[in-house]
Amino acid sequence: MTEPLNILIIGLGLIGASFGKAIRAQGLNDRSVFVLGHDRSLGVADQAVALGVLDQAVTDLADLPRVDVVVLAVPVMAIGDVIDDIKPLIGSLQVLTDVGSVKGEVVRAVRARLGILPGCFVPGHPIAGAEQSGVAAARADLFDRHMHILTPLPESDPAAVQLITQLWQAIGADVVEMSVERHDEVLAATSHLPHLLAFSLVDTLARESDNREIFKYAAGGFRDFSRIAASDPTMWHDIFLTNKDATLSVLRRFQADLTMLEQAIEQGDGDLLHTVFTRAKSARDHFT
Ligand code: NAD
């Protein structure tokens, strides 16, 4: 009988715990999986066992059974320290992957801590999530019919890429591949800048003296737009500090366009406003 695939998840928050719940429920095609998990916060791994996220909680990373796959699901700026914690394990892994929202920084941290990029290392990022964080927010269907971006490196072993692809596909994800640089540019535009705008607008309004009244009358549009401002501040702090160039580049282009709209309003230039809004509506109507 084939031995189960032993998967260790480090970081049992929304993403790590949802991955554990999902892969325990699905298995890997015909092969069973055994899911171990570790979190630096006391009690979280035991809570994860109780919630059906894990088969076994791990308190000491220096004392592990055989591990085949490691999934790093900690905030981006914590990845380097975790790599130090699992250094002795890495040589025997089939796959080392992560779920961080910025890929350049994760690759830099792994190279800095190990001196090389090991063949088992295949960075990744699920395009799924929620404003809630922590193990209690875990959902087995979080990744179902969502994209999972893998950014394999020239050093990545094809067998490692194949195995991690199969694992994400087993839990319903649509796996796509992209370069590290392209990932960070695309996500800066589609995820990082919109979060910055939401945090900034909600903060501006919250600091006004009559903010209670403003939020009371905020209906559909503001509710939808501001939802992402409830996201975890630590995670987003890490994202902006580590995807600096790509976010600054798209932010500066956006600032120039916003200034143009400001001037159009000031000068009563309805034609310009109409042209921009029509172009944006057509673009929005055409993406699915
Ligand atoms: P979370 O805050 O819910 O969970 C992170 C967990 O990591 C916490 O339980 C924390 O205690 C643990 N942790 C932190 N440092 C650690 C360390 N050094 N060792 C062990 N455990 C440690 O966060 P999340 O939303 O699950 O995000 C995790 C990763 O997934 C981040 O890198 C984030 O960029 C990425 N991501 C998040 C989303 C989202 O919508 N939340 C979506 C895609 C990717």
Side-chain angles (χ1 to χ4, degrees):
M1 212 177 84
T2 329
E3 290 204 311
L5 187 75
N6 285 358
I7 302 173
L8 169 64
I9 303 168
I10 304 182
L12 298 166
L14 172 74
I15 302 294
S18 294
F19 180 82
K21 235 184 195 179
I23 200 69
R24 275 192 85 217
Q26 296 301 328
L28 175 61
N29 306 327
D30 293 337
R31 192 165 175 194
S32 64
V33 296
F34 186 80
V35 184
L36 303 119
H38 170 80
D39 196 283
R40 81 167 170 192
S41 295
L42 217 62
V44 168
D46 291 330
Q47 198 185 346
V49 174
L51 290 170
V53 165
L54 303 178
D55 293 292
Q56 188 181 321
V58 171
T59 40
D60 183 1
L61 287 173
D63 181 23
L64 285 165
R66 190 196 86 240
V67 174
D68 303 305
V69 174
V70 169
V71 179
L72 306 173
V74 297
V76 171
M77 290 174 79
I79 293 221
D81 288 347
V82 177
I83 290 291
D84 280 346
D85 293 342
I86 59 165
K87 235 177 222 176
L89 187 72
I90 292 176
S92 60
L93 292 177
Q94 292 179 43
V95 172
L96 169 66
T97 193
D98 76 298
V99 294
S101 306
V102 178
K103 302 283 32 107
E105 172 61 18
V106 171
V107 173
R108 193 202 59 75
V110 172
R111 188 188 275 117
R113 304 296 174 122
L114 296 179
I116 55 151
L117 292 169
C120 63
F121 179 41
V122 188
H125 177 205
I127 307 301
E131 289 67 65
Q132 299 81 10
S133 51
V135 67
R139 279 177 27 206
D141 66 349
L142 188 66
F143 309 110
D144 190 26
R145 281 171 286 163
H146 282 265
M147 243 186 272
H148 183 77
I149 303 179
L150 288 178
T151 60
L153 307 166
E155 293 82 353
S156 302
D157 183 349
V161 179
Q162 191 185 15
L163 179 54
I164 193 61
T165 301
Q166 287 168 344
L167 282 165
W168 283 99
Q169 284 173 340
I171 58 174
D174 179 12
V175 178
V176 295
E177 291 186 17
M178 216 181 252
S179 73
V180 167
E181 297 71 26
R182 185 70 186 138
H183 169 278
D184 287 357
E185 278 168 18
V186 169
L187 270 291
T190 56
S191 170
H192 307 171
L193 179 63
H195 276 81
L196 192 73
L197 302 185
F199 281 128
S200 173
L201 178 60
V202 172
D203 180 56
T204 300
L205 299 184
R207 283 186 290 113
E208 291 185 3
S209 54
D210 57 349
N211 68 56
R212 272 173 193 257
E213 196 171 43
I214 290 179
F215 287 126
K216 188 165 129 197
Y217 293 115
F222 183 75
R223 212 162 271 283
D224 290 348
F225 176 77
S226 62
R227 179 180 53 80
I228 53 179
S231 301
D232 183 58
T234 304
M235 170 178 150
W236 284 96
H237 155 280
D238 283 19
I239 289 171
F240 287 108
L241 292 185
T242 58
N243 199 21
K244 190 171 160 182
D245 293 346
T247 45
L248 283 180
S249 161
V250 66
L251 175 62
R252 284 173 183 148
R253 292 201 305 279
F254 175 72
Q255 267 171 335
D257 285 351
L258 199 60
T259 303
M260 185 185 71
L261 288 176
E262 180 191 354
Q263 286 164 357
I265 295 170
E266 212 168 60
Q267 293 158 9
D269 187 347
D271 287 348
L272 180 65
L273 294 179
H274 203 269
T275 302
V276 171
F277 298 162
T278 305
R279 204 164 51 213
K281 175 174 166 42
S282 157
R284 182 64 182 86
D285 285 346
H286 286 90
F287 85 76
T288 50

